[in-house]
Amino acid sequence: MAFFIGNTNTSPDPDKDSAFLDAMVSMTSEDSGTFVGAGTLRNADVFTAIRIIASDIASNEIENSDSSRANILNNKPNALMNGFSFKFALACNLLLNGNAFAEIIMNGNRLSSLEFLPNNKVTVKQDDTTGKVTYYYQQTNTKRRVLAPENVLHFKYFTQNGITGLSPLYALKDQLQIQKAGNGMLRGFFNSGVNGTSILKVHKTDLSKEAKDNIRDKFEQSNSGNNALRTVVLDDSMDLTNLTVNTDVLKLVNGNDWSTRQIAEVFGIPVEKLGVENVHSSNEQSNVLYLQNTLGHYFDVFTSELNNKLAGVYTFNTDKLFSSDPKANQDLAVEAYQGGVLSLNEARSKLGLETVENGEQFYSKESDPDNGRSQINN
């Protein structure tokens, strides 16, 4: 039984990606047989949501006690990619398709490289009888490789069976179609130029449908696009009447942020990151919730798979997420020092301060009534 089948559809055609969404929603078997490509990224909100999350995942280093493994993950995973591009590509595919793959290449007991596997070339199958999971990688048109599960990093977030993931776009079919229809209405209005919706009367004629279509096409060609502001010239056999355009409808379409809010909700990012005002919480509160409730879970997706397939314990260093906020960065360093997690010099290094003598000591309330803040800052 095939739970996830990749195909070779990499076209950025948005209609093909709409077919993906239709297939996801109407799926009646465990074989989706679909792959969503870059066409969905033509939606600005989806593009922004994926860019933000994938960038935040990729820009934070993965830590491990083995410096060689950490270097491969963060700097040189393979011959074609740097660490940022590798993690960004994995996160992007995870968010678009619900799954992301990388092959583990070993040299004896040493990790040699991690090869990115495009989703449209990977097939995941589970045997009905034994339950064994097998990965098939279509490396070229004529070469298909069989990969053991222990040699594949398979990142998945929302999963119903524990074997494959489901794309967040599953929940956004209606929202994306509404945005597409609204954008199409605005595009049609601006393409029509100053004419808007018009009635062209041709006197004393009995026109066939083909003749009417031909006159309409010729008129629109002459008075729209680059010709929109040019003078309209008619003879005495024609009358032109412009219909009043209800601009309230256009304002509704242009001002409707419901779909944007739904997209932000599904991906778990603050709505202000998509350009919508958040009236219920401050930016600081939203960013904290984003880190705790969204990024923290995505980090777990990556670290749990790394811990399972590679030796050692892997964690994300999230210092960069707070570096742009000096106050939050300082508060975190003080709290870590007070809690005995960091020594004095380790806390100072978080703030870019020089080490001090006897700075390897940990916080003692008896020796510092100022709760450690003055020791760190002085």
Side-chain angles (χ1 to χ4, degrees):
M1 177 184 298
F3 283 95
F4 179 87
I5 301 294
N7 60 32
T8 56
N9 172 25
T10 57
S11 170
D13 184 352
D15 292 332
K16 293 185 178 180
D17 289 310
S18 296
F20 163 82
L21 297 174
D22 291 336
M24 293 295 290
V25 173
S26 62
M27 188 164 47
T28 57
S29 71
E30 293 175 318
D31 180 3
S32 63
T34 52
F35 162 72
V36 58
T40 302
L41 295 179
R42 291 185 176 183
N43 181 289
D45 290 332
V46 173
F47 180 95
T48 303
I50 291 177
R51 175 185 58 80
I52 290 172
I53 298 174
S55 296
D56 287 339
I57 292 174
S59 61
N60 290 278
E61 291 193 350
I62 300 175
E63 296 180 339
N64 182 259
S65 57
D66 188 328
S67 60
S68 175
R69 290 174 181 264
N71 182 66
I72 289 175
L73 285 165
N74 297 309
N75 300 311
K76 193 67 174 177
N78 54 64
L80 300 177
M81 297 180 173
N82 57 45
F84 182 92
S85 298
F86 177 70
K87 289 183 287 186
F88 190 97
L90 289 173
C92 185
N93 276 278
L94 175 68
L95 295 166
L96 275 174
N97 297 285
N99 301 271
F101 306 93
E103 183 181 5
I104 303 170
I105 307 298
M106 302 294 294
N107 184 4
N109 293 326
R110 184 177 64 86
L111 177 64
S112 176
S113 66
L114 295 171
E115 301 294 331
F116 175 75
L117 303 180
N119 282 55
N120 60 322
K121 295 185 177 181
V122 176
T123 302
V124 183
K125 290 186 178 181
Q126 184 177 35
D127 187 89
D128 288 336
T129 304
T130 65
K132 180 181 178 181
V133 177
T134 306
Y135 293 82
Y136 297 90
Y137 174 44
Q138 194 70 38
Q139 188 167 355
T140 66
N141 290 336
T142 58
K143 183 178 180 180
R144 190 189 195 198
R145 296 171 51 210
V146 179
L147 305 177
E150 59 268 20
N151 294 328
V152 177
L153 292 173
H154 181 182
F155 303 103
K156 48 191 174 293
Y157 183 40
F158 191 99
T159 177
Q160 293 177 291
N161 53 30
I163 306 300
T164 56
L166 186 63
S167 170
L169 300 179
Y170 174 88
L172 292 174
K173 179 176 183 291
D174 292 339
Q175 288 80 357
L176 294 179
Q177 290 179 344
I178 289 173
Q179 277 199 352
K180 184 177 180 181
N183 291 338
M185 179 183 295
L186 290 175
R187 184 171 59 250
F189 173 76
F190 288 111
N191 284 344
S192 66
V194 297
N195 295 308
T197 302
S198 305
I199 298 176
L200 182 64
K201 293 183 178 179
V202 182
H203 303 301
K204 300 178 181 179
T205 56
D206 184 12
L207 300 176
S208 65
K209 180 181 182 303
E210 291 76 13
K212 292 178 182 178
D213 291 340
N214 184 56
I215 293 174
R216 180 191 302 111
D217 293 341
K218 293 296 183 182
F219 180 82
E220 290 177 349
Q221 182 180 352
S222 300
N223 297 281
S224 62
N226 293 332
N227 297 323
L229 298 179
R230 299 184 67 183
T231 303
V232 178
V233 179
L234 302 174
D235 59 27
D236 59 2
S237 67
M238 297 181 181
D239 285 334
L240 177 64
T241 304
N242 286 330
L243 297 179
T244 302
V245 177
N246 187 350
T247 56
D248 290 339
V249 176
L250 298 177
K251 291 178 181 178
L252 175 63
V253 172
N254 196 39
N256 181 24
D257 60 12
W258 176 77
S259 295
T260 300
R261 290 182 180 275
Q262 294 296 106
I263 292 172
E265 181 179 351
V266 167
F267 283 101
I269 64 175
V271 292
E272 58 264 30
K273 290 184 180 290
L274 298 183
V276 177
E277 183 181 0
N278 189 351
V279 297
H280 300 294
S281 60
S282 66
N283 287 344
E284 183 177 350
Q285 291 173 325
S286 295
N287 287 332
V288 171
L289 291 174
Y290 167 63
L291 174 61
Q292 294 176 343
N293 298 337
T294 301
L295 272 186
H297 297 312
Y298 284 117
F299 288 154
D300 289 341
V301 170
F302 283 85
T303 56
S304 62
E305 183 70 0
L306 293 172
N307 293 337
N308 185 40
K309 300 289 179 65
L310 300 176
V313 177
Y314 297 83
T315 58
F316 274 88
N317 185 330
T318 59
D319 289 348
K320 286 186 178 180
L321 294 175
F322 296 96
S323 60
S324 59
D325 187 347
K327 183 179 183 302
N329 203 21
Q330 185 181 60
D331 290 343
L332 286 174
V334 171
E335 290 176 6
Y337 177 52
Q338 291 173 345
V341 177
L342 299 177
S343 68
L344 176 59
N345 277 340
E346 288 173 335
R348 288 176 63 86
S349 68
K350 295 287 185 182
L351 301 177
L353 301 175
E354 295 181 355
T355 59
V356 296
E357 187 177 355
N358 299 323
E360 300 307 316
Q361 63 182 341
F362 286 84
Y363 173 71
S364 172
K365 186 174 182 179
E366 290 75 15
S367 62
D368 182 33
D370 192 35
N371 294 329
R373 188 173 293 273
S374 61
Q375 287 185 330
I376 293 178
N377 294 328
N378 294 335

